Amino acid sequence: MKVLKLDHIGIAVKDLEKVSQVYCDLGLKSEGIEVVEEQKVKVAFFPLGDTEIELLESTAEDGPIAKFIEKNGEGVQHVAFRVENIVEAIKEMKEKGYRMIDEAPRYGAGGAKIAFMHPKGTCGVLVELTERK
Ligand code: ZN
């Protein structure tokens, strides 16, 4: 398995437009807003050097981001590593004894294939593995 880079940092927010302004004020530019139905979120990506900041707002009360905010408040929600081959990465991490939230890749924003590792196995950090071109 090969990790290519820190793909992005995911930040859970209550109001995407309002928080976007903070990153705009920092001089970053959004690539636009995308709704990912499957994950009940709308997201905005802000490219920053070789990585990106991802803001996530829940589109449903029972969505994972809504639940995260209820428990932890707004803030950093996950860290995403870009891998060369996500199927291989999932298999390898499982073999090493890590619990995967996603045993098979699913689709995330921008058509990326993603899989989350369980934060209990990674000392509290929700790790997203992502493969995109
Ligand atoms: Zn993400």
Side-chain angles (χ1 to χ4, degrees):
M1 151 179 176
K2 192 173 177 196
V3 173
L4 303 172
K5 65 173 191 163
L6 176 64
D7 193 77
H8 62 271
I9 294 171
I11 300 173
V13 304
K14 286 181 187 166
D15 184 336
L16 191 60
E17 255 97 283
K18 187 180 151 198
V19 182
S20 287
Q21 189 58 50
V22 175
Y23 294 89
C24 288
D25 288 342
L26 281 163
L28 308 190
K29 281 195 184 78
S30 166
E31 287 186 326
I33 291 170
E34 183 183 347
V35 175
V36 185
E37 296 287 355
E38 198 188 304
Q39 289 181 66
K40 299 177 179 173
V41 287
K42 60 177 181 177
V43 304
F45 277 96
F46 292 81
L48 174 58
D50 194 34
T51 189
E52 293 181 272
I53 300 292
E54 176 187 30
L55 301 182
L56 305 104
E57 179 193 316
S58 193
T59 56
E61 272 174 36
D62 64 341
I65 293 300
K67 285 184 194 157
F68 176 88
I69 291 176
E70 205 180 288
K71 207 172 149 197
N72 307 289
E74 291 178 288
V76 173
Q77 197 255 349
H78 67 269
V79 174
F81 297 108
R82 187 179 299 193
V83 296
E84 214 167 48
N85 183 317
I86 194 154
V87 174
E88 270 175 24
I90 293 169
K91 186 168 169 271
E92 187 174 328
M93 293 315 281
K94 278 176 70 182
E95 280 167 5
K96 286 177 175 168
Y98 290 92
R99 246 171 87 193
M100 299 298 300
I101 292 173
D102 303 300
E103 301 261 326
R106 56 196 172 97
Y107 282 95
K113 288 188 236 171
I114 65 170
F116 284 99
M117 293 175 67
H118 202 286
K120 281 210 173 100
T122 51
C123 307
V125 176
L126 179 60
V127 173
E128 175 188 332
L129 303 175
T130 179
E131 179 190 325
R132 50 176 168 163
K133 305 294 165 211

PDB file of all heavy atoms in Angstrom, residues 7-11 39 43 45 54 56 77-80 109 114 116 128 130, ligand 1:
ATOM      1  N   ASP A   7      -4.356  14.165   1.542  1.00  0.00           N
ATOM      2  CA  ASP A   7      -5.298  14.622   0.513  1.00  0.00           C
ATOM      3  C   ASP A   7      -6.091  15.842   0.965  1.00  0.00           C
ATOM      4  O   ASP A   7      -6.187  16.824   0.250  1.00  0.00           O
ATOM      5  CB  ASP A   7      -6.257  13.492   0.131  1.00  0.00           C
ATOM      6  CG  ASP A   7      -7.024  13.794  -1.131  1.00  0.00           C
ATOM      7  OD1 ASP A   7      -6.437  13.671  -2.222  1.00  0.00           O
ATOM      8  OD2 ASP A   7      -8.197  14.206  -1.034  1.00  0.00           O
ATOM      9  N   HIS A   8      -6.676  15.731   2.155  1.00  0.00           N
ATOM     10  CA  HIS A   8      -7.410  16.877   2.696  1.00  0.00           C
ATOM     11  C   HIS A   8      -7.684  16.698   4.180  1.00  0.00           C
ATOM     12  O   HIS A   8      -7.536  15.609   4.722  1.00  0.00           O
ATOM     13  CB  HIS A   8      -8.728  17.110   1.940  1.00  0.00           C
ATOM     14  CG  HIS A   8      -9.710  15.980   2.027  1.00  0.00           C
ATOM     15  ND1 HIS A   8      -9.722  14.936   1.134  1.00  0.00           N
ATOM     16  CD2 HIS A   8     -10.701  15.729   2.910  1.00  0.00           C
ATOM     17  CE1 HIS A   8     -10.699  14.097   1.462  1.00  0.00           C
ATOM     18  NE2 HIS A   8     -11.311  14.546   2.548  1.00  0.00           N
ATOM     19  N   ILE A   9      -8.105  17.797   4.801  1.00  0.00           N
ATOM     20  CA  ILE A   9      -8.545  17.779   6.191  1.00  0.00           C
ATOM     21  C   ILE A   9     -10.025  18.140   6.173  1.00  0.00           C
ATOM     22  O   ILE A   9     -10.409  19.147   5.570  1.00  0.00           O
ATOM     23  CB  ILE A   9      -7.731  18.780   7.047  1.00  0.00           C
ATOM     24  CG1 ILE A   9      -6.269  18.311   7.108  1.00  0.00           C
ATOM     25  CG2 ILE A   9      -8.319  18.918   8.447  1.00  0.00           C
ATOM     26  CD1 ILE A   9      -5.329  19.306   7.729  1.00  0.00           C
ATOM     27  N   GLY A  10     -10.844  17.293   6.779  1.00  0.00           N
ATOM     28  CA  GLY A  10     -12.293  17.499   6.778  1.00  0.00           C
ATOM     29  C   GLY A  10     -12.743  18.197   8.053  1.00  0.00           C
ATOM     30  O   GLY A  10     -12.407  17.771   9.157  1.00  0.00           O
ATOM     31  N   ILE A  11     -13.491  19.294   7.881  1.00  0.00           N
ATOM     32  CA  ILE A  11     -13.946  20.084   9.024  1.00  0.00           C
ATOM     33  C   ILE A  11     -15.476  20.117   9.041  1.00  0.00           C
ATOM     34  O   ILE A  11     -16.107  20.492   8.041  1.00  0.00           O
ATOM     35  CB  ILE A  11     -13.367  21.524   8.947  1.00  0.00           C
ATOM     36  CG1 ILE A  11     -11.830  21.453   8.971  1.00  0.00           C
ATOM     37  CG2 ILE A  11     -13.898  22.397  10.083  1.00  0.00           C
ATOM     38  CD1 ILE A  11     -11.138  22.766   8.726  1.00  0.00           C
ATOM     39  N   GLN A  39     -23.824  10.464   1.719  1.00  0.00           N
ATOM     40  CA  GLN A  39     -23.273  10.776   3.039  1.00  0.00           C
ATOM     41  C   GLN A  39     -24.050  11.868   3.766  1.00  0.00           C
ATOM     42  O   GLN A  39     -23.659  12.286   4.851  1.00  0.00           O
ATOM     43  CB  GLN A  39     -21.817  11.207   2.899  1.00  0.00           C
ATOM     44  CG  GLN A  39     -20.895  10.073   2.532  1.00  0.00           C
ATOM     45  CD  GLN A  39     -19.466  10.560   2.436  1.00  0.00           C
ATOM     46  OE1 GLN A  39     -18.881  10.966   3.428  1.00  0.00           O
ATOM     47  NE2 GLN A  39     -18.919  10.552   1.246  1.00  0.00           N
ATOM     48  N   VAL A  43     -20.567  19.753   0.679  1.00  0.00           N
ATOM     49  CA  VAL A  43     -19.167  20.027   0.967  1.00  0.00           C
ATOM     50  C   VAL A  43     -18.629  21.128   0.067  1.00  0.00           C
ATOM     51  O   VAL A  43     -19.125  21.358  -1.032  1.00  0.00           O
ATOM     52  CB  VAL A  43     -18.289  18.754   0.784  1.00  0.00           C
ATOM     53  CG1 VAL A  43     -18.811  17.612   1.640  1.00  0.00           C
ATOM     54  CG2 VAL A  43     -18.219  18.318  -0.663  1.00  0.00           C
ATOM     55  N   PHE A  45     -14.658  22.383  -1.131  1.00  0.00           N
ATOM     56  CA  PHE A  45     -13.218  22.136  -1.070  1.00  0.00           C
ATOM     57  C   PHE A  45     -12.452  23.427  -1.342  1.00  0.00           C
ATOM     58  O   PHE A  45     -12.782  24.167  -2.261  1.00  0.00           O
ATOM     59  CB  PHE A  45     -12.804  21.093  -2.112  1.00  0.00           C
ATOM     60  CG  PHE A  45     -13.008  19.680  -1.654  1.00  0.00           C
ATOM     61  CD1 PHE A  45     -14.157  18.978  -1.989  1.00  0.00           C
ATOM     62  CD2 PHE A  45     -12.054  19.039  -0.880  1.00  0.00           C
ATOM     63  CE1 PHE A  45     -14.350  17.667  -1.563  1.00  0.00           C
ATOM     64  CE2 PHE A  45     -12.231  17.733  -0.442  1.00  0.00           C
ATOM     65  CZ  PHE A  45     -13.376  17.047  -0.793  1.00  0.00           C
ATOM     66  N   GLU A  54     -11.566  20.612   3.449  1.00  0.00           N
ATOM     67  CA  GLU A  54     -12.931  20.220   3.086  1.00  0.00           C
ATOM     68  C   GLU A  54     -13.878  20.646   4.207  1.00  0.00           C
ATOM     69  O   GLU A  54     -13.701  20.239   5.356  1.00  0.00           O
ATOM     70  CB  GLU A  54     -13.020  18.695   2.903  1.00  0.00           C
ATOM     71  CG  GLU A  54     -14.430  18.192   2.612  1.00  0.00           C
ATOM     72  CD  GLU A  54     -14.554  16.665   2.594  1.00  0.00           C
ATOM     73  OE1 GLU A  54     -13.801  15.975   3.298  1.00  0.00           O
ATOM     74  OE2 GLU A  54     -15.425  16.165   1.861  1.00  0.00           O
ATOM     75  N   LEU A  56     -17.648  20.416   5.679  1.00  0.00           N
ATOM     76  CA  LEU A  56     -18.807  19.534   5.529  1.00  0.00           C
ATOM     77  C   LEU A  56     -19.966  20.005   6.402  1.00  0.00           C
ATOM     78  O   LEU A  56     -19.802  20.174   7.607  1.00  0.00           O
ATOM     79  CB  LEU A  56     -18.460  18.104   5.949  1.00  0.00           C
ATOM     80  CG  LEU A  56     -17.267  17.425   5.287  1.00  0.00           C
ATOM     81  CD1 LEU A  56     -16.086  17.409   6.244  1.00  0.00           C
ATOM     82  CD2 LEU A  56     -17.616  16.009   4.878  1.00  0.00           C
ATOM     83  N   GLN A  77     -12.884  17.004  11.674  1.00  0.00           N
ATOM     84  CA  GLN A  77     -13.654  15.765  11.771  1.00  0.00           C
ATOM     85  C   GLN A  77     -12.876  14.566  11.254  1.00  0.00           C
ATOM     86  O   GLN A  77     -12.982  13.482  11.778  1.00  0.00           O
ATOM     87  CB  GLN A  77     -14.976  15.945  11.000  1.00  0.00           C
ATOM     88  CG  GLN A  77     -16.049  14.920  11.352  1.00  0.00           C
ATOM     89  CD  GLN A  77     -16.239  13.870  10.284  1.00  0.00           C
ATOM     90  OE1 GLN A  77     -15.727  13.968   9.176  1.00  0.00           O
ATOM     91  NE2 GLN A  77     -16.987  12.830  10.624  1.00  0.00           N
ATOM     92  N   HIS A  78     -12.122  14.750  10.182  1.00  0.00           N
ATOM     93  CA  HIS A  78     -11.314  13.644   9.669  1.00  0.00           C
ATOM     94  C   HIS A  78     -10.086  14.136   8.914  1.00  0.00           C
ATOM     95  O   HIS A  78     -10.013  15.298   8.528  1.00  0.00           O
ATOM     96  CB  HIS A  78     -12.139  12.690   8.800  1.00  0.00           C
ATOM     97  CG  HIS A  78     -12.627  13.298   7.507  1.00  0.00           C
ATOM     98  ND1 HIS A  78     -13.838  13.938   7.389  1.00  0.00           N
ATOM     99  CD2 HIS A  78     -12.062  13.352   6.273  1.00  0.00           C
ATOM    100  CE1 HIS A  78     -13.994  14.339   6.132  1.00  0.00           C
ATOM    101  NE2 HIS A  78     -12.932  14.012   5.435  1.00  0.00           N
ATOM    102  N   VAL A  79      -9.134  13.212   8.747  1.00  0.00           N
ATOM    103  CA  VAL A  79      -7.913  13.477   7.998  1.00  0.00           C
ATOM    104  C   VAL A  79      -7.885  12.446   6.879  1.00  0.00           C
ATOM    105  O   VAL A  79      -8.110  11.258   7.128  1.00  0.00           O
ATOM    106  CB  VAL A  79      -6.675  13.327   8.909  1.00  0.00           C
ATOM    107  CG1 VAL A  79      -5.391  13.457   8.115  1.00  0.00           C
ATOM    108  CG2 VAL A  79      -6.715  14.358  10.029  1.00  0.00           C
ATOM    109  N   ALA A  80      -7.665  12.914   5.650  1.00  0.00           N
ATOM    110  CA  ALA A  80      -7.727  11.993   4.514  1.00  0.00           C
ATOM    111  C   ALA A  80      -6.366  11.799   3.862  1.00  0.00           C
ATOM    112  O   ALA A  80      -5.674  12.775   3.544  1.00  0.00           O
ATOM    113  CB  ALA A  80      -8.724  12.510   3.475  1.00  0.00           C
ATOM    114  N   ALA A 109     -17.099  12.952  -2.437  1.00  0.00           N
ATOM    115  CA  ALA A 109     -17.121  14.163  -3.259  1.00  0.00           C
ATOM    116  C   ALA A 109     -16.082  14.064  -4.383  1.00  0.00           C
ATOM    117  O   ALA A 109     -15.042  13.434  -4.227  1.00  0.00           O
ATOM    118  CB  ALA A 109     -16.850  15.389  -2.394  1.00  0.00           C
ATOM    119  N   ILE A 114     -13.686   6.330  -1.512  1.00  0.00           N
ATOM    120  CA  ILE A 114     -13.242   6.566  -0.137  1.00  0.00           C
ATOM    121  C   ILE A 114     -13.602   5.414   0.796  1.00  0.00           C
ATOM    122  O   ILE A 114     -14.526   4.642   0.512  1.00  0.00           O
ATOM    123  CB  ILE A 114     -13.837   7.877   0.440  1.00  0.00           C
ATOM    124  CG1 ILE A 114     -15.362   7.784   0.572  1.00  0.00           C
ATOM    125  CG2 ILE A 114     -13.468   9.060  -0.432  1.00  0.00           C
ATOM    126  CD1 ILE A 114     -15.969   8.934   1.362  1.00  0.00           C
ATOM    127  N   PHE A 116     -13.506   4.837   5.297  1.00  0.00           N
ATOM    128  CA  PHE A 116     -13.092   5.344   6.601  1.00  0.00           C
ATOM    129  C   PHE A 116     -12.602   4.210   7.495  1.00  0.00           C
ATOM    130  O   PHE A 116     -13.160   3.119   7.488  1.00  0.00           O
ATOM    131  CB  PHE A 116     -14.255   6.064   7.297  1.00  0.00           C
ATOM    132  CG  PHE A 116     -14.540   7.430   6.735  1.00  0.00           C
ATOM    133  CD1 PHE A 116     -15.565   7.621   5.815  1.00  0.00           C
ATOM    134  CD2 PHE A 116     -13.773   8.517   7.112  1.00  0.00           C
ATOM    135  CE1 PHE A 116     -15.826   8.884   5.287  1.00  0.00           C
ATOM    136  CE2 PHE A 116     -14.025   9.785   6.596  1.00  0.00           C
ATOM    137  CZ  PHE A 116     -15.048   9.970   5.684  1.00  0.00           C
ATOM    138  N   GLU A 128      -9.635   8.883   6.725  1.00  0.00           N
ATOM    139  CA  GLU A 128     -10.259   8.556   5.445  1.00  0.00           C
ATOM    140  C   GLU A 128      -9.168   8.162   4.468  1.00  0.00           C
ATOM    141  O   GLU A 128      -8.164   8.859   4.353  1.00  0.00           O
ATOM    142  CB  GLU A 128     -11.022   9.779   4.913  1.00  0.00           C
ATOM    143  CG  GLU A 128     -11.614   9.609   3.523  1.00  0.00           C
ATOM    144  CD  GLU A 128     -12.194  10.904   2.946  1.00  0.00           C
ATOM    145  OE1 GLU A 128     -12.628  11.783   3.716  1.00  0.00           O
ATOM    146  OE2 GLU A 128     -12.211  11.041   1.716  1.00  0.00           O
ATOM    147  N   THR A 130      -8.472   7.667   0.555  1.00  0.00           N
ATOM    148  CA  THR A 130      -9.135   8.112  -0.667  1.00  0.00           C
ATOM    149  C   THR A 130      -8.271   7.836  -1.893  1.00  0.00           C
ATOM    150  O   THR A 130      -7.045   7.960  -1.841  1.00  0.00           O
ATOM    151  CB  THR A 130      -9.503   9.615  -0.578  1.00  0.00           C
ATOM    152  OG1 THR A 130     -10.135  10.018  -1.796  1.00  0.00           O
ATOM    153  CG2 THR A 130      -8.284  10.491  -0.365  1.00  0.00           C
TER     154      THR A 130
HETATM  155 ZN    ZN B   1     -13.130  13.882   3.333  1.00  0.00          ZN
END
